[in-house]
Amino acid sequence: MTFFRQRSLLAAIAVVVALVGALALPGAASAHTGFDSSVPADGDAIDQPVDAVTISFTGPATPTDDGFAALDGDGTVRSPSAVETDDQEVYVLRFDPPLSGGDVGVRWRVLAPDGHA
């Protein structure tokens, strides 16, 4: 094989590898779902009872295992009395009775469409 043929073959292989990598990476990265925002927002000081918490994800999320739980200002772990979503990206967690004010934390366990938690 001549030098120019080898060089052309190597260049063609490099282009194919680059194209395969470029096409594969965005699909894999877009399959993951992460936390986007919440209301009340992370770090907000809440001085009154909270009857609803809204959590937004970066993509579709399906609750799994325990789904959602909250730690209220009194240190009690609570499950929401209702969980609502229209698009599986924004969830409204309702609490009856409301969570006590103070430091409130919310934990979630969800699956992305690709099955990753």
Side-chain angles (χ1 to χ4, degrees):
M1 196 179 282
T2 68
F3 174 74
F4 291 110
R5 279 183 143 176
Q6 275 184 315
R7 201 167 167 197
S8 296
L9 180 59
L10 290 174
I13 291 171
V15 168
V16 169
V17 169
L19 284 174
V20 169
L23 293 174
L25 289 178
S30 66
H32 295 286
T33 297
F35 172 76
D36 185 38
S37 63
S38 65
V39 176
D42 185 25
D44 278 357
I46 306 301
D47 60 357
Q48 57 191 358
V50 177
D51 64 354
V53 175
T54 302
I55 299 176
S56 298
F57 296 98
T58 58
T62 303
T64 184
D65 296 333
D66 294 335
F68 300 96
L71 179 67
D72 72 11
D74 295 332
T76 305
V77 176
R78 304 256 317 270
S79 295
S81 52
V83 176
E84 304 164 359
T85 184
D86 290 330
D87 60 6
Q88 291 190 303
E89 290 185 23
V90 177
Y91 285 84
V92 178
L93 315 177
R94 303 220 181 262
F95 295 92
D96 185 22
L99 300 171
S100 61
D103 290 330
V104 174
V106 177
R107 177 195 51 86
W108 58 87
R109 180 146 173 95
V110 296
L111 290 177
D114 66 354
H116 286 105

